[in-house]
């Protein structure tokens, strides 16, 4: 009797070498895999939950300063090196991988106001309350050598800020006026004044390297071109801006941190109205720094929190705080886009992950694919209420929570009042002013 | 006249020099007078006097002494008329000036000039910055950005690039680097020179020596030795199965050959090598003799199937069986081997002898058949002429046709390979037993002791019989055609055969079983009832709000009037038709499910413009359960990729230059990725969420 048996061509299922991937026959017929939306939704929900479970952003705290940390500087070529200056004039160099201080030097008497590493990474500059600009070598002095600056410039007034040019041997300081210095000279090669008495910050544009911007105490932000003899333009806002940061990937965008609890992202060509108003802080914003990819920025506030904003969003995607962290004075985003560093009043520098739930270290290919897939799923279903609720849920300190609630109520009350006034006055007499336009007083040419 | 004037001027000069002292006295005198006058009356504003060349000159310090001595333009022009060298054009211009009483506008204030300067500078900076717009837009739209943007390819770099890429940042570095570079360059040139020399040496003396040696060797070797070598190779080749495509490698190539042209070529090359090596070279008598001797020695050849041990893994699998027969070259070789060699082994000899005998027999039979066929043909022709049919003759014709077939088949068989031949001759003998006469039976008896046929080949005897049957029938039909009388058609009710009844019973039983099992419940009726209930529940109800007694007489048995009833009866608007109205076997519930609502999106999210867009994004699945591998990879590509430990520098000016070049260069960084997968939902997954959203954003931007 002939028995018919199932037989397959071995070509269909035998791999040619043992290094080949086993072929797994799959049938993509949709009827065999029903409920695709429901299943993916469940996966998205689960991964959102896991995201929250694994969100442990705090990595380390670097202690050693004997006064509040007033400024920090990233090393330009070494990711593991960080410099910090405190309110007692001390500068510390940190090794971030070992979480330890590798060098301490008494740079100034009084505050260290500003600090910047030269583009080559071999030396750095500091300015302080003692009216001096000092240049220091990056390497620690050898045995028996004294800790001495390479160069010291004595200025006429106090310097409050400092930034270095991206490529040339030129740096800028601010104080009573904005000065451009050549590294080789002891007097500024150019000084800019425009009817204001003091500046709080100055920053070079990292892309269009000859441009710079500064925040002044008369509530203005002033733009300069290093090659011109006069400033370019200034915008006066309702309250003072503390610092600003240029987007490192987009030449004409910058963000400033303001005393009115908000951050404003401007296009430097159209200063009459900010592109985005970033709200969420409940106290003055003291510092801001862009991620090196130019997609997000981090802000430090007097309300003892650090927040991360996507550059085009009005609200933050993440808030970091700890029980012991006081007013955060300075903040930096590491050059590899993975970490955030914050320096605060209570003498500590804290190291955070930029993505709270990201797994650091080497990922296996399958792991990477799985995380990419879950990321995309979260993106796909982000508008669904349950997923949004979980993804947006953050625990906040009580005072901040109540403060933000109060601010919300106040804002709502103001809006209601304005609406009522408009209702009871002649049509067109009370114009509608958008949130973006509200905070700009004028643009001075 | 001119000379006279000059003289006058000189006179004046002299006067000035002589009058200097007097003038000074006058000035002092005047000052004194002024001082005296100022003592009494109001103070007169004193104007500063210019005594030496100052760096800064103020408009306020210029003195305008002697208002009356002011020089007028007309005075100057007057003298101009007299001078001959001045052109008429200049004169005209001057006259026009005299007529014109307008004053030049005063210069702008410093604040205003500053503002203009600032504005111009700002415009310049703004245009410069706007150059980046293209790059920024492109990066915003890119499906994937990999940071750092200007990554260098990994792997070793050529030394020249490494050397040139060193850059000294400080003077100290320069000091160190310069000699180092010089040294590196010197070393490089030295090594280059050395290499060149070495090559040169090889090309001359080395080759000369070698050629000489080779020639000597060649001379040393005799023709015989050479031939011996070739013979040896031939022997070895014949002994081994090295190039016969029967080894492991060759088999793998056979499989690969379906997909790979290179593998196929490799196989052919193998065979060619075999052919070359086994070819006999006829040179001299001596060589031939040797060859013969050798042949006698090396004749021991393993049968081919020894190498095919693996093939017997699964004899029932036709795919596996097919392998060997697919390779015609191999089979040819086997045939060649058997044909060429005079096999010494007794079994094979016997076999061969049998082959020969059979061949001879066949030839004899064919010859006979030919003769008989011709005879029968003649008979048939006669029959046709007679138009009379006998059963005997019919049988005979059948037989002849069959015989002819046989003969043809035999002829075919001789053409095909030897292996098949065996089986077919045997079959014929079996038939002969049935059909043919005694002497042929004898022949069959001779062949009977042959080994039995392989089990795989079914005995084709019944087939042959079947083939014979229709011939008979055909003849019968022809006979019937001759009959003029039509057959009577009797209608008989179809009675199921025994077999059919058996087949039909089973489903009946099944149905019966089901009926038995679900005897109590009438599912269809229940369903219909249920549906009607749902329909009724969905229908709007008439609300009757009439109250007896209001505005009318009340009491038992009294009904409210019709007008009142009409007034207070409210009829709701009929709802839209149910979705399952035309689907008799379906109930579609249109009620809202509050549990599901918790998970549903309330309003249209931001980047989407209408509901269908959003729904289509949600509907297309991303995972690998629904998509091909390639599509999945494309779907889950993250928007921003950064590398841990890699410093991301700010956008460099080179990006701007890159952007100016044709866009093809930048495609790699944006969305590369081929088209989506082939099967199933590949196409659907192809347009990912991101791309769609981006598309929407772009559209908005256009608006």
């Amino acid at each position: 009797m002939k028995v018919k048996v199932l037989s397959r061509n071995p070509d269909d299922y035998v791999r040619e070498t043992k290094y080949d991937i086993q072929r797994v026959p799959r049938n993509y017929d949709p009827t065999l895999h029903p409920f695709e939306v429901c299943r993916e939704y469940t996966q998205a929900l689960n991964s959102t939950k896991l995201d929250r479970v694994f969100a442990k952003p705090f990595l380390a705290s670097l202690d050693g300063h004997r006064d509040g940390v007033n400024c920090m500087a990233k090393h330009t070529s070494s990711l593991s090196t960080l410099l910090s200056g405190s309110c007692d004039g001390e500068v510390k160099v940190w090794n971030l991988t070992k979480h330890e201080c590798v060098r301490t030097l008494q740079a100034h008497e009084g505050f260290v106001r500003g600090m910047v590493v030269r583009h080559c990474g071999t030396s750095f500059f500091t300015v302080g309350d003692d009216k001096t600009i000092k240049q220091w070598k990056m390497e620690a002095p050898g045995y028996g050598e004294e800790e001495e600056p390479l160069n010291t410039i004595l200025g006429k007034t106090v310097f409050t800020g400092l930034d270095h040019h991206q490529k040339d041997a030129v740096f800028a300081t601010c104080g009573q006026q904005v000065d451009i210095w050549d590294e080789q000279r002891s007097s500024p090669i150019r000084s800019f004044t425009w009817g204001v008495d003091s500046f709080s910050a100055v920053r070079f544009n990292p892309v269009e390297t000859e441009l710079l911007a500064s925040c002044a105490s008369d509530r203005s932000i002033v733009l300069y071109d290093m090659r011109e003899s006069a400033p370019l333009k200034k915008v006066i806002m309702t309250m003072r801006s503390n610092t600003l940061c240029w987007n490192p990937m987009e030449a004409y965008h910058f963000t400033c941190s303001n005393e009115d609890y908000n951050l404003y992202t401007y296009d430097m060509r159209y200063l009459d109205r900010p592109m985005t108003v970033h709200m969420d802080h409940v106290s003055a914003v003291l510092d801001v720094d862009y991620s090196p990819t130019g997609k997000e920025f981090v802000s430090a506030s007097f309300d003892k929190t650090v927040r991360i904003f996507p550059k085009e969003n009005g609200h933050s995607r993440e808030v970091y705080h700890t029980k012991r962290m006081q007013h955060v004075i300075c903040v930096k985003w590491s050059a590899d886009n993975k970490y955030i560093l914050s320096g605060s009043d209570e003498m500590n520098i804290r190291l955070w992950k930029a993505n709270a739930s990201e797994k650091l270290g080497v990922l296996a290919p399958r792991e990477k694919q799985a995380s990419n897939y879950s990321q995309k799923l979260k993106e796909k279903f982000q508008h669904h209420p349950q997923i949004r609720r979980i993804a947006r849920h953050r625990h906040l300190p009580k005072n901040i929570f109540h403060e933000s609630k109060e601010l919300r109520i106040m804002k709502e009350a103001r809006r209601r009042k304005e609406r009522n006034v408009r209702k009871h006055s002649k049509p067109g007499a009370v114009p509608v002013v958008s949130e973006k336009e509200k905070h700009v007083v004028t643009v001075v040419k | 006249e001119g000379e006279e004037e000059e003289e006058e001027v000189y006179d004046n000069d002299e006067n000035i020099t002589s009058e200097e002292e007097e003038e000074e006295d006058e000035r002092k005198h005047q000052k004194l007078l002024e001082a005296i006058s100022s003592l009494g009356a109001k103070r007169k504003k004193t104007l500063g006097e210019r005594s030496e060349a100052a760096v800064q000159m103020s408009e306020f310090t210029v003195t305008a002494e002697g208002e009356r001595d002011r020089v007028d333009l007309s005075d100057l022009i007057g003298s101009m008329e007299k001078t001959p060298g001045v052109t008429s054009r200049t004169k005209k211009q001057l006259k026009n000036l005299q007529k014109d009483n307008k004053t030049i506008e005063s210069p702008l204030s410093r604040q205003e000039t500053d503002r203009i300067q600032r504005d111009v500078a700002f415009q310049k900076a703004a245009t410069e910055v706007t150059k980046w717009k293209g790059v920024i837009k492109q990066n915003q739209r890119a499906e994937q950005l990999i940071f750092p943007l200007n990554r260098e390819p990994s792997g070793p770099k050529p030394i020249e690039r490494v050397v040139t890429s060193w850059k000294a940042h400080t003077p100290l570095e320069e000091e160190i680097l310069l000699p180092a570079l010089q040294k590196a360059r010197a070393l490089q040139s030295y090594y280059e020179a050395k290499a060149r020399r070495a090559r040169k040496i090889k090309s001359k003396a080395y080759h000369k020596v070698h050629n000489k040696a080779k020639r000597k060797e060649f001379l040393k070797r005799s023709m015989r030795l050479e031939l011996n070598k070739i013979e040896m190779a031939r022997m070895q080749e014949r002994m081994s199965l090295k190039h016969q495509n029967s080894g492991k490698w060759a088999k793998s190539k056979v499989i690969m050959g379906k997909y790979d042209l290179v593998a196929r070529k490799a196989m052919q090359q193998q065979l060619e090598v075999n052919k070359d090596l086994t070819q006999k070279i006829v040179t001299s008598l001596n060589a031939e003799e040797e060859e013969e001797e050798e042949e006698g020695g090396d004749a021991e050849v393993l049968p081919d199937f020894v190498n095919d041990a693996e093939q017997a893994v699964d004899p029932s699998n036709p795919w596996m069986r097919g392998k060997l027969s697919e390779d015609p070259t191999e089979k040819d070789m086997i045939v060649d081997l058997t044909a060429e060699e005079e096999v010494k082994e007794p079994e094979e000899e016997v076999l061969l002898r049998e082959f020969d005998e059979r061949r001879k027999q066949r030839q004899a039979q064919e010859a006979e058949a030919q003769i008989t066929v011709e005879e029968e043909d003649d008979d048939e022709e006669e029959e046709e002429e007679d138009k009379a049919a006998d059963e005997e003759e019919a049988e005979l014709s059948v037989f002849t046709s069959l015989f002819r077939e046989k003969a043809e088949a035999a002829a075919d068989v001789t053409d095909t390979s030897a292996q098949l031949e065996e089986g077919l001759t045997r079959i014929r003998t079996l038939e002969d037993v049935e059909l043919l006469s005694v002497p042929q039976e004898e022949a069959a008896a001779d062949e009977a002791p042959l080994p039995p046929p392989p089990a795989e080949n079914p005995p084709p005897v019944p087939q042959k019989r079947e083939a014979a049957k229709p011939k008979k029938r055909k003849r019968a039909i022809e006979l019937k055609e001759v009959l003029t009388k039509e057959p009577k058609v009797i209608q008989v009710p179809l009675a199921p055969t025994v077999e059919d009844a058996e087949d039909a019973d089973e489903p009946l039983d099944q149905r019966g079983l089901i009926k038995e099992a679900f005897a109590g419940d009438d599912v269809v009726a229940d369903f219909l009832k249920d549906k009607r209930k749902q329909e009724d529940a969905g229908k709007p109800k008439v609300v009757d709000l009439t109250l007896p007694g209001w505005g009318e007489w009340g009491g038992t048995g009294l009904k409210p009037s019709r007008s009142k009833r009409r007034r207070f009866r409210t009829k709701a608007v009929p709802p839209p038709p149910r979705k399952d109205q035309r689907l008799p076997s379906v109930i579609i519930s249109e009620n809202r499910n509050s549990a599901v609502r918790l998970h549903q999106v309330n309003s249209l999210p931001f980047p989407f413009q209408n509901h269908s867009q959003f729904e289509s994004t949600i509907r297309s699945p991303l995972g690998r359960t629904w998509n091909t591998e390639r599509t999945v990879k494309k779907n889950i590509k993250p928007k921003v990729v950064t590398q841990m430990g890699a410093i991301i520098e700010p956008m460099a000016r080179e990006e701007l230059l890159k952007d100016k070049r044709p866009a093809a260069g930048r495609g790699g960084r944006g969305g590369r990725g081929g088209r989506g997968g082939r099967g199933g939902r590949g196409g659907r997954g192809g347009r990912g969420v991101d791309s769609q959203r981006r598309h929407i954003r772009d559209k908005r931007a256009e608006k």
Side-chain angles (χ1 to χ4, degrees), chain A residues 11 30 40-41 208 231 335 380, chain B residues 118 132 258 599 620 623 681:
Chain A
D11 287 353
E40 288 212 321
Y41 174 78
E208 241 351 287
K380 184 182 166 186
Chain B
R118 281 198 297 262
W132 289 94
K258 289 178 205 167
H599 294 270
S620 59
R681 306 182 163 190

Side-chain angles (χ1 to χ4, degrees), chain B residues 312-355:
Chain B
V313 177
D314 187 7
S316 60
N317 191 343
W319 296 98
M320 299 296 257
R321 253 187 288 133
K323 281 265 152 70
L324 259 186
S325 57
E326 273 170 22
D327 196 351
T329 51
E330 237 173 309
K331 202 174 289 160
D332 285 348
M333 252 147 38
I334 296 161
V335 174
D336 288 349
L337 276 173
T338 47
E340 263 185 31
E341 293 169 31
E342 295 293 308
V343 186
K344 305 292 181 200
E345 278 174 50
E347 285 178 11
E348 288 184 28
E349 258 188 292
V350 167
L351 269 172
L352 274 174
R353 220 170 293 144
E354 279 175 6
F355 270 80

Side-chain angles (χ1 to χ4, degrees), chain A residues 161-179:
Chain A
L162 172 74
D163 198 20
H164 200 280
H165 191 272
Q166 197 66 27
K167 284 167 206 145
D168 300 343
V170 169
F171 64 92
T173 59
C174 64
Q176 298 296 314
Q177 75 260 17
V178 171
D179 294 324

Side-chain angles (χ1 to χ4, degrees), chain A residues 11 16 26 28 30 33 36 40-41 194 208 231 233 248-249 252 335 369 373 376 380 385 445, chain B residues 118 128-129 132 255-256 258 598-600 618 620 622-627 637 648 651 653 681 690:
Chain A
D11 287 353
E16 280 165 1
R26 279 201 55 80
Y28 292 104
H33 309 286
E36 61 260 32
E40 288 212 321
Y41 174 78
W194 193 354
E208 241 351 287
K233 212 172 204 179
M249 289 293 154
Y252 42 75
Q369 275 195 356
Y373 178 43
K376 277 284 147 154
K380 184 182 166 186
K445 279 186 181 174
Chain B
R118 281 198 297 262
E128 203 174 316
V129 155
W132 289 94
I255 292 167
M256 293 285 281
K258 289 178 205 167
L598 264 181
H599 294 270
Q600 280 172 336
I618 293 295
S620 59
L622 304 173
R624 52 170 54 78
T625 317
W626 299 276
N627 293 304
K637 230 167 40 171
I648 302 165
M651 181 83 73
R653 222 167 255 280
R681 306 182 163 190
D690 265 25

Side-chain angles (χ1 to χ4, degrees), chain B residues 229-247:
Chain B
K229 216 176 186 179
I230 295 165
E231 255 329 291
M232 200 66 182
R234 185 170 172 258
M235 270 157 60
Q236 272 165 355
E237 178 59 23
R238 291 181 67 191
M239 268 157 70
S240 73
L241 296 163
K242 203 173 171 187
H243 299 115
Q244 307 218 0
N245 280 358
S246 55

Side-chain angles (χ1 to χ4, degrees), chain B residues 252-265:
Chain B
S252 74
K253 286 289 162 196
V254 167
I255 292 167
M256 293 285 281
K258 289 178 205 167
Y259 316 108
D260 196 359
L261 200 77
V262 181
R264 238 176 287 160
K265 258 184 194 166

